[in-house]
Amino acid sequence: MKKEEGKRGQLTIFIIVAILVIAIVALFFAFPKLRTAVGVEKLETPENFIQTCLQDTIKENVEIISSQGGSLNPSPSVLYNDENIQYLCYTPQKYQACVVQIPFLEKHIEDELKNSIKEDVDFCFNSLKENYDNRGYTTNLKKGDTMVELLPKKIVTTINHEFVFSKDENTERRETFRVVLNNNLYELAAIAQSIMNQEISIGDSFEQFYMELYTDLKIEKDRPFTEDTTIYILTDRNTQDKFKFAFQSWDLG
């Protein structure tokens, strides 16, 4: 008798819990504001939307440009381990001093990164507008300029697009978007520029000096061909960020 009463009690509790679950689900569908309050169907902020949309593309392009000596389409270049690597200093004539190909390496890399993401920036902002339009917002998008900066320990992409979105008499405006990527290309490019200057001045570089000065830096130097071409690979030991470039230095006798 007691067992039957216990079973009936458990069944009653189960039915009550089931009714409560059904009631809560019904409330969620009946009251959209309640769903928003608990985080269901919450609209992503414009800043987070653009960061998420662009960060992987920027990271991928940074890795490509860094592995090719700072250029998307390196020229003149040398094929090394299936990668075309930019000559930072080059001459086609034997026994003549090489000519600097990229005088301002940091600015060149910033411009290359900016050009590499133009289409992606347009796509992400058009997607942002469409996303808000589909949620019942009235939106307006005015496109401006894009700037990429190499800074210590990070790369910052600033997009000066104006995005206005309105709903229920509430209007918000965003005029600047920033996408930040943790990467030490700033320092690696500066060291590459310094090595190039050394090569031009004395015909060689002192990689051990740089590694003693920057303890987190690893410099690999390879001369794989009969021509006087040197491949440099700079690596941040902490982050594994790399920068590769080529240098041609003929023995002037």
Side-chain angles (χ1 to χ4, degrees), residues 46-156:
E47 294 85 354
N48 287 343
F49 186 97
I50 295 301
Q51 173 80 29
T52 302
C53 188
L54 282 174
Q55 60 187 4
D56 288 343
T57 296
I58 294 173
K59 181 179 180 181
E60 179 181 340
N61 289 343
V62 166
E63 290 174 354
I64 292 171
I65 289 172
S66 297
S67 70
Q68 297 182 167
S71 298
L72 278 172
N73 300 296
S75 179
S77 66
V78 59
L79 186 64
Y80 177 76
N81 291 340
D82 297 324
E83 292 177 324
N84 282 312
I85 300 179
Q86 172 78 50
Y87 277 108
L88 295 188
C89 197
Y90 175 80
T91 178
Q93 302 296 325
K94 289 189 176 183
Y95 313 117
Q96 290 191 12
C98 67
V99 178
V100 175
Q101 301 298 307
I102 303 175
F104 305 102
L105 183 58
E106 180 182 324
K107 178 65 167 58
H108 175 79
I109 293 172
E110 291 173 344
D111 290 340
E112 290 287 274
L113 285 172
K114 175 183 173 180
N115 292 331
S116 75
I117 62 171
K118 277 184 178 179
E119 293 183 2
D120 297 279
V121 169
D122 286 341
F123 171 80
C124 288
F125 275 89
N126 290 337
S127 298
L128 171 66
K129 186 178 187 306
E130 181 181 356
N131 192 31
Y132 271 76
D133 288 340
N134 291 339
R135 298 299 186 97
Y137 284 81
T138 300
T139 64
N140 183 57
L141 175 62
K142 183 179 179 181
K143 296 181 180 180
D145 63 340
T146 299
M147 179 174 63
V148 176
E149 294 177 282
L150 300 187
L151 300 174
K153 306 297 183 183
K154 60 187 175 183
I155 299 171
V156 179

Side-chain angles (χ1 to χ4, degrees), residues 96-229:
Q96 290 191 12
C98 67
V99 178
V100 175
Q101 301 298 307
I102 303 175
F104 305 102
L105 183 58
E106 180 182 324
K107 178 65 167 58
H108 175 79
I109 293 172
E110 291 173 344
D111 290 340
E112 290 287 274
L113 285 172
K114 175 183 173 180
N115 292 331
S116 75
I117 62 171
K118 277 184 178 179
E119 293 183 2
D120 297 279
V121 169
D122 286 341
F123 171 80
C124 288
F125 275 89
N126 290 337
S127 298
L128 171 66
K129 186 178 187 306
E130 181 181 356
N131 192 31
Y132 271 76
D133 288 340
N134 291 339
R135 298 299 186 97
Y137 284 81
T138 300
T139 64
N140 183 57
L141 175 62
K142 183 179 179 181
K143 296 181 180 180
D145 63 340
T146 299
M147 179 174 63
V148 176
E149 294 177 282
L150 300 187
L151 300 174
K153 306 297 183 183
K154 60 187 175 183
I155 299 171
V156 179
T157 302
T158 302
I159 307 164
N160 295 313
H161 285 11
E162 182 183 272
F163 180 61
V164 181
F165 51 105
S166 305
K167 190 175 185 180
D168 299 332
E169 298 182 356
N170 294 321
T171 300
E172 294 189 51
R173 180 190 307 272
R174 303 288 189 274
E175 296 181 347
T176 302
F177 295 80
R178 288 186 176 86
V179 181
V180 179
L181 175 68
N182 293 325
N183 188 287
N184 203 21
L185 184 53
Y186 171 87
E187 184 177 84
L188 296 179
I191 293 171
Q193 185 93 50
S194 179
I195 289 174
M196 181 179 68
N197 293 338
Q198 259 191 7
E199 283 271 15
I200 293 170
S201 299
I202 62 175
D204 203 351
S205 67
F206 303 105
E207 58 271 21
Q208 192 61 40
F209 165 78
Y210 290 100
M211 288 189 285
E212 290 175 0
L213 186 61
Y214 303 98
T215 56
D216 296 329
L217 176 67
K218 177 183 177 182
I219 300 179
E220 299 170 85
K221 189 175 175 181
D222 191 13
R223 290 192 175 96
F225 312 110
T226 56
E227 297 89 350
D228 289 339
T229 290

